[in-house]
Amino acid sequence: MKRTRSCDEERGHAGIPRPSLTPVLWFAVTAWGGVWIGANAAFSDRRSAIVSAIVAAGLLIAAGVRSHGRTVSIVTVLVMGMTCGVASGAMWGVRVARNGEAVAAAGFREWRGVVTADPRDVGSGLLVQVRLSREAGGGLVELWWTEGATEPVMGEQVAFRAALRPPDSAVDKRIAYSKGVCASGNALGGTVTGWPKTPAGWTFRLRDRLRRGIGRVRGSGGALLGAILVGYREPLRGSPAESDFRATGTSHLLAVSGTHIAIVAGFIGSVASALRIRRGPATVIVVGFAVIQCVLCGLQSSAVRACGMATVAGTAGLGGRRADTLASLGACVSAIVLLSPVQAFSLGLRLSACAVLGIALFGRLAETWVRAAIPRCCRFVAGPLAIAIVAQGATLPVSAPIWQSVSLISPLANIVAVPLGSFALLLGVVGAACSAFSTVCAGVVW
C-alpha cells in the first residue's frame, strides 16, 4: 500500500511549517558560483574565459535537450545555473579587461562620465568612481580627484583630463576587476558639468537635495538619518558612532536593506489602504516607491534584492498566488548576479542573502525555542529576538572572517535598536515628503 504522510510529518515538529529548498534557489546558488568561476577565469586569462563560456554554452544546450518534454530534475537545474553563471561572468570579465586596455591605449586626454558612488576621503585624497561615457567605452574608473576642485556627488556628470591605466599586478587586477573598475588615474582640471537629463539624473538630484537637507541636522543622529534614508554613509565612516554600531552588532541599520524597504513599503501600503485605493494600483504604488528608494540609496545590492523580492511578492499577490520567500529570494539573486555579475562579489549581497535564507529556514523554529526558554511575561519579544539570533548566526560565516569579531550583545541590542531605527526611518520619509512643500517643516521633522 502507498503510505501517506501525516500532518505532523508535513508540518514538522511543533506544527511548524517546514520550508523546502526550491529549484529556483538551487539555480541561484549555482549561478552565483558560476559567475565567480567565469569572472576569475577572465581576470587571469581571456582565452580560458572564452573556453569556459563555450563549455558552459554546450552544457546548457545539453541540459535543455536532456530535460525536453520531461520534469526538470535538480541535476539539470544545477547544470543550467552553473553554465549560465559561468557564461555571464566570463563575458563580463572579458568586457572589463577590454575596457581597461582601451582606456590605457587612449593615453592622456579629456574624459567625460557620471559619478556612480559617493566620493570617499581616504586621507591621501578624494577617491571618485566614474562611469565613462559611451563614446569612451563606458568603463568604470577610479580617480584621485583634483585637489581644490569642486567635489562631485553621486549622479553628477564630470569632465577631467587623465592618463588612465589598468592595474599592474595580478592581485591588484583581481581586486579592481571584482569591483568592476577597469582603470585608475589622477584627474587633472576636474569639473562638474551638471546633472544628466534622464529619470536617473532627476532621481539622484532629488537624493542630493535630501542629503543636503538632512546634513543640517547636527550630530550623529543626522548622519544616521542620512545613512538609512538615502544611503549616504560618509559622515559616519570611521566615526565613534560607526564603531558603536559594529560593536553592538547593529551596523546593518546603517545600510539600506530589506528591513528598510519593507518598512517604507508597509507604510506606503497603509496610506494607500487608508485612502481606499484598490489592490492593483496600491501594489503598483508600493513597488514604485520601493524602486525609487532603491535608486535614492545608490542601488545598494541588499536594497536591489529587497526591491526585487517586493516586486515578485506584489506580482504573485495580483495573480492570486501566495509568495514563496525562498523562491522569491532565488529569483532575485539569479537576476542580480546574471544581469550584473559585479554584484556576485558584493559583501552586502552576501550578508543580505544569508540573513534572509536563515530567517526563512529557521525563523519559526527559533521563535518556538525562544518562547519556551523565556518567562511568559517576556514572550512578546520572542519574535524579534529569534529573528536577530537567526540573522546573526546565518551571517557569521561571512562577517566573522572580515570583521574578526562576534557581538554577543547583538540580539538584545537589535530588540531596542531596530524599532527605534524603524521609527527614525518613517520620520525621515515624512520629512522627505514635507521637503517638497516646506524646507523648514522638513527640518523640524528631521
Side-chain angles (χ1 to χ4, degrees):
M1 293 179 62
K2 184 178 180 180
R3 182 177 179 268
T4 59
R5 301 179 67 180
S6 66
C7 180
D8 288 340
E9 289 176 326
E10 289 287 345
R11 293 178 61 85
H13 297 290
I16 301 171
R18 183 165 49 195
S20 59
L21 298 179
T22 62
V24 180
L25 190 60
W26 285 118
F27 179 89
V29 172
T30 51
W32 199 334
V35 169
W36 272 71
I37 295 173
N40 280 290
F43 296 163
S44 58
D45 182 17
R46 187 180 304 172
R47 185 175 301 175
S48 62
I50 295 174
V51 173
S52 299
I54 294 175
V55 173
L59 289 175
L60 183 60
I61 295 173
V65 173
R66 176 71 177 80
S67 61
H68 180 67
R70 305 178 184 180
T71 302
V72 180
S73 66
I74 189 63
V75 176
T76 303
V77 170
L78 296 177
V79 172
M80 293 179 68
M82 180 64 69
T83 52
C84 288
V86 169
S88 178
M91 290 187 293
W92 168 72
V94 169
R95 185 168 64 251
V96 173
R98 284 181 175 175
N99 286 336
E101 295 172 359
V103 297
F108 184 83
R109 51 162 287 187
E110 184 179 35
W111 305 88
R112 293 182 179 272
V114 177
V115 180
T116 61
D118 290 312
R120 295 183 58 185
D121 187 355
V122 294
S124 56
L126 191 67
L127 193 61
V128 180
Q129 280 192 357
V130 175
R131 174 74 63 184
L132 299 178
S133 61
R134 291 184 178 180
E135 294 78 9
L140 183 66
V141 298
E142 277 188 344
L143 304 170
W144 297 100
W145 197 245
T146 308
E147 186 176 356
T150 303
E151 180 180 332
V153 298
M154 179 163 38
E156 279 190 319
Q157 294 176 320
V158 294
F160 58 93
R161 298 188 304 275
L164 301 173
R165 57 188 182 277
D168 297 327
S169 66
V171 175
D172 291 341
K173 183 182 297 185
R174 193 175 299 275
I175 293 174
Y177 286 1
S178 63
K179 297 186 296 183
V181 175
C182 66
S184 61
N186 295 317
L188 300 178
T191 58
V192 177
T193 60
W195 297 95
K197 296 181 179 180
T198 61
W202 301 331
T203 306
F204 283 116
R205 189 172 186 175
L206 172 61
R207 177 186 186 266
D208 182 57
R209 178 184 174 186
L210 294 175
R211 180 186 65 83
R212 287 186 280 108
I214 296 171
R216 299 189 184 100
V217 181
R218 298 179 180 178
S220 57
L224 171 63
L225 188 58
I228 64 178
L229 188 61
V230 295
Y232 183 63
R233 299 181 58 179
E234 296 311 307
L236 282 171
R237 201 176 297 276
S239 67
E242 185 184 42
S243 301
D244 293 339
F245 276 102
R246 185 169 297 174
T248 55
T250 54
S251 56
H252 61 89
L253 294 175
L254 304 179
V256 179
S257 62
T259 303
H260 300 75
I261 299 290
I263 291 169
V264 175
F267 176 70
I268 300 298
S270 300
V271 173
S273 178
L275 297 176
R276 296 184 179 181
I277 300 177
R278 292 185 177 182
R279 184 177 182 180
T283 301
V284 174
I285 293 173
V286 170
V287 173
F289 270 94
V291 173
I292 293 174
Q293 185 185 7
C294 185
V295 177
L296 285 176
C297 73
L299 295 175
Q300 297 181 16
S301 55
S302 55
V304 173
R305 189 271 310 158
C307 182
M309 292 188 67
T311 304
V312 172
T315 306
L318 290 177
R321 302 188 63 180
R322 184 178 178 182
D324 185 339
T325 303
L326 294 179
S328 301
L329 176 63
C332 294
V333 170
S334 300
I336 290 172
V337 299
L338 292 179
L339 297 179
S340 180
V342 67
Q343 298 296 339
F345 298 88
S346 167
L347 175 62
L349 184 61
R350 276 178 278 170
L351 292 172
S352 177
C354 288
V356 173
L357 180 62
I359 292 171
L361 291 177
F362 306 110
R364 294 288 300 275
L365 179 61
E367 183 179 352
T368 302
W369 286 357
V370 172
R371 283 183 180 276
I374 63 179
R376 186 180 298 272
C377 62
C378 300
R379 288 184 179 177
F380 65 95
V381 301
L385 182 59
I387 290 176
I389 293 174
V390 171
Q392 183 182 16
T395 55
L396 273 181
V398 178
S399 62
I402 294 175
W403 291 308
Q404 300 179 4
S405 64
V406 177
S407 175
L408 300 181
I409 198 65
S410 174
L412 296 179
N414 274 278
I415 293 179
V416 179
V418 170
L420 293 176
S422 303
F423 184 62
L425 176 59
L426 291 180
L427 286 180
V429 173
V430 174
C434 293
S435 67
F437 308 98
S438 172
T439 56
V440 176
C441 181
V444 172
V445 175
W446 285 332

